[in-house]
Amino acid sequence: MKDYLFPKDFWWGSASSATQMEGAANKDGKGKNIWDHWYEIEPNRFFKKIGPSETSQFYARYKEDIALMKELGHNSFRFSISWSRLIPTGEGEVNPKAVQFYNQVMDELWNQGIEPFVNLYHFDMPFELQEKGGWESREVVKAYVKYAETCFDLFGDRVKKWFTHNEPIVPVENQYLYGHHYPALCNFQKCVQAGFHSILASAIAIRAYHKRNLGGKIGIILNLTPSYPRSQHPADVEAAKIADAFFNRSFLDPSVKGTFPSELVDILKKEGFMPHIEDGDITLIKENTVDLLGINYYQPRRVKAKENLFNPNAPFMPERYFDYHDMPGKKMNPYRGWEIYEKGIYDILMNVKENYGNIECFISENGMGVENETRFLNEEGMIEDDYRIEFYEEHLKWVHQAIKEGSNVKGFHVWTFIDNWSWLNAYKNRYGLVSVDLDKDCKRTVKKSGYWFKKLAVTGLI
Ligand code: BG6
């Protein structure tokens, strides 16, 4: 047992995002974001047509929820500020009701001995700003920086761990390539521009934060998906390297090292998709890198060399350079359709140690979404989610191994505390340590994994 004892001051907690758990999307002056808008015009995009307006009720029940977090051993909790709640049209006037809400949440967290980790952007572009082009537009970069500065000035006295974005590649690829987020375009040029602007916005926000000398740290949260080649054949290895440049290093390198991977830049140049870059942008990115890295890990990426020639007339996709490899016998989470590969978390941490200066980092999300969990209700009305406990334990063993080998990993946040609304799957797959009963006014009930988590956080032992 002693083999899996974690450091005393390890950050144990969970992660969440405003749109997914606050609810009250039309209340107290909140403006519309792209999710509110998309649901209005295309509710069929969402599982069982459940939209973002009344998600998990954290806005109304934050006190009860924070008390439960304390009860379940949290020493830290990550949430995001809803940009369109704080600044309803994305730029301009600040909404005093939002300031009051976030002040209360932060104060309540500290009262319960839980450190707030605050993320600024979690997929929720204010609708008016999307109308101006969203991340494609330089104007939106300016509006984001203003929003970030407003947050630092309002809450910087109580928040000592800030994050500029959660998984910035996800909105970019889903808005501009794969059709999962509004406006669901398929345009690689816009995708690259939006990606570049989110990196630039992050760097400018980091500069603004550091200038203020508020005594905290600022980082970014990235979803890292280690790319494994089907075989050691040079063509497979090359394919995995390119996939890694597109999906990991595209944001990891500029965020931590201030540079872009040359493999990616070469492809963008060759294919004619370089973004518009203004004088000073590259220096700014170089000089304003993160203090801290959040790593979200759910699944690996298995890759092989292309089997067929691509259609040169089709819209450009990164998949022109590799194919996905459906590895026989892989362990799966069938509900989400994601492979479970626990060692991936260790490979990421070792990569960060060896190639990214062993920057201070933590696992900012890891979790398992499962459908129809009421199947596992016991006589006392508790969901016995042993599969989730096993999922976490197996990942944590690899985190522990990484610590033994010198990784600078400081904590582990699960996704998520209470069941919440997923971007497209709504309430289909549940991730929480605590269940939410949608038929009973979102009644909260701790799952078996919640009690398991408490023991883990209190003893530091698995
Ligand atoms: C992460 C996101 O990518 O994965 C969360 O930061 C998201 O917002 C989580 O909810 C799980 O993914 P999904 O699509 O099943 O909700």
Side-chain angles (χ1 to χ4, degrees):
M1 273 304 252
K2 281 229 168 62
D3 280 345
Y4 301 116
L5 178 62
F6 285 82
K8 230 175 148 260
D9 47 1
F10 214 55
W11 307 333
W12 295 113
S14 59
S16 67
S17 89
T19 308
Q20 295 180 270
M21 62 137 30
E22 282 180 6
N26 309 313
K27 222 179 149 193
D28 288 348
K30 178 179 160 296
K32 255 197 268 178
N33 64 30
I34 51 174
W35 297 96
D36 303 311
H37 174 74
W38 212 14
Y39 182 66
E40 267 174 30
I41 59 167
E42 289 187 71
N44 53 294
R45 292 265 186 181
F46 303 86
F47 184 73
K48 290 197 177 162
K49 295 192 184 172
I50 297 180
S53 52
E54 278 313 324
T55 60
S56 302
Q57 302 184 0
F58 183 73
Y59 189 76
R61 296 165 78 159
Y62 69 90
K63 263 198 178 173
E64 174 193 344
D65 288 339
I66 293 171
L68 199 50
M69 280 173 209
K70 166 79 177 165
E71 169 60 28
L72 299 188
H74 280 52
N75 60 26
S76 43
F77 173 62
R78 192 240 303 183
F79 60 97
S80 71
I81 290 177
S82 160
W83 187 349
S84 60
R85 188 181 295 287
L86 191 70
I87 306 174
T89 54
E91 47 194 345
E93 293 296 299
V94 169
N95 171 12
K97 287 261 165 82
V99 178
Q100 187 189 347
F101 170 64
Y102 291 114
N103 271 332
Q104 285 167 340
V105 169
M106 285 165 200
D107 292 345
E108 190 61 22
L109 283 165
W110 279 120
N111 285 340
Q112 298 280 13
I114 300 171
E115 179 174 355
F117 287 23
V118 174
N119 174 42
L120 294 171
Y121 188 76
H122 197 129
F123 308 174
D124 54 351
M125 182 62 69
F127 179 61
E128 273 83 350
L129 294 183
Q130 188 61 45
E131 291 282 89
K132 294 186 176 169
W135 287 116
E136 284 167 60
S137 148
R138 193 113 185 163
E139 225 185 292
V140 169
V141 174
K142 272 197 203 133
Y144 168 87
V145 172
K146 188 89 201 7
Y147 155 63
E149 289 177 328
T150 306
C151 291
F152 303 149
D153 293 338
L154 285 167
F155 310 117
D157 55 336
R158 279 150 301 153
V159 178
K160 298 299 166 195
K161 301 213 176 47
W162 290 95
F163 301 92
T164 56
H165 296 277
N166 174 79
E167 304 187 347
I169 198 170
V170 169
V172 165
E173 66 185 9
N174 284 312
Q175 292 188 294
Y176 297 105
L177 285 184
Y178 304 128
H180 298 300
H181 294 193
Y182 182 84
L185 306 178
C186 183
N187 185 323
F188 190 68
Q189 184 66 69
K190 289 187 176 196
C191 179
V192 172
Q193 192 64 58
F196 180 75
H197 279 159
S198 18
I199 291 164
L200 182 67
S202 176
I204 307 177
I206 290 169
R207 182 178 64 182
Y209 183 70
H210 285 155
K211 266 196 189 150
R212 283 170 166 70
N213 273 318
L214 290 163
K217 292 181 179 175
I218 186 158
I220 195 164
I221 291 163
L222 300 178
N223 51 316
L224 298 178
T225 48
S227 294
Y228 299 105
R230 165 182 58 182
S231 75
Q232 288 308 305
H233 186 287
D236 283 345
V237 172
E238 180 62 16
K241 203 172 161 196
I242 293 181
D244 187 48
F246 268 110
F247 294 106
N248 296 314
R249 296 183 56 206
S250 49
F251 284 80
L252 182 59
D253 285 20
S255 300
V256 178
K257 296 179 175 172
T259 55
F260 290 90
S262 58
E263 292 87 341
L264 184 60
V265 175
D266 290 348
I267 291 177
L268 296 184
K269 283 188 176 154
K270 185 172 124 204
E271 302 282 357
F273 288 116
M274 280 295 281
H276 170 75
I277 299 173
E278 294 190 1
D279 283 353
D281 288 355
I282 297 296
T283 313
L284 214 152
I285 291 168
K286 176 88 204 146
E287 289 174 354
N288 296 283
T289 54
V290 296
D291 308 322
L292 170 67
L293 177 66
I295 298 164
N296 293 355
Y297 176 65
Y298 290 90
Q299 56 170 341
R301 190 180 297 268
R302 301 207 183 263
V303 167
K304 63 184 178 187
K306 279 211 86 63
E307 310 224 307
N308 299 303
L309 288 177
F310 59 84
N311 172 2
N313 299 318
F316 182 90
M317 288 287 189
E319 290 78 4
R320 246 182 216 203
Y321 281 84
F322 58 87
D323 280 346
Y324 288 111
H325 172 49
D326 186 7
M327 186 179 79
K330 64 190 174 191
K331 203 199 268 190
M332 286 294 291
N333 169 359
Y335 311 101
R336 189 60 180 83
W338 286 347
E339 181 183 345
I340 300 175
Y341 182 62
E342 298 89 346
K343 180 173 175 283
I345 210 165
Y346 163 87
D347 290 339
I348 295 171
L349 291 171
M350 287 297 107
N351 181 34
V352 169
K353 175 177 176 231
E354 278 148 29
N355 301 311
Y356 294 87
N358 208 11
I359 185 172
E360 183 176 51
C361 65
F362 74 115
I363 301 301
S364 40
E365 281 182 34
N366 178 234
M368 187 182 184
V370 172
E371 196 169 355
N372 189 15
E373 284 198 305
T374 47
R375 276 175 293 167
F376 305 110
L377 271 175
N378 68 14
E379 280 173 6
E380 283 81 50
M382 179 180 80
I383 290 170
E384 296 199 355
D385 51 346
D386 294 277
Y387 44 85
R388 179 168 292 113
I389 296 172
E390 184 190 323
F391 178 97
Y392 284 135
E393 287 192 348
E394 294 309 309
H395 283 86
L396 276 163
K397 286 176 186 170
W398 282 109
V399 174
H400 191 267
Q401 183 61 30
I403 296 173
K404 280 212 306 216
E405 293 179 32
S407 159
N408 200 8
V409 57
K410 293 289 175 64
F412 187 86
H413 280 186
V414 301
W415 184 269
T416 179
F417 179 62
I418 50 171
D419 287 344
N420 66 22
W421 182 85
S422 274
W423 306 101
L424 301 170
N425 289 320
Y427 281 94
K428 175 174 169 281
N429 300 317
R430 305 301 183 96
Y431 284 88
L433 299 174
V434 176
S435 71
V436 157
D437 188 339
L438 295 178
D439 297 327
K440 291 194 183 142
D441 193 31
C442 289
K443 179 169 179 270
R444 279 87 160 118
T445 311
V446 179
K447 299 180 195 174
K448 190 171 173 184
S449 60
Y451 295 112
W452 164 84
F453 185 82
K454 174 180 182 163
K455 189 160 163 254
L456 168 71
V458 171
T459 62
L461 258 183
I462 47 168

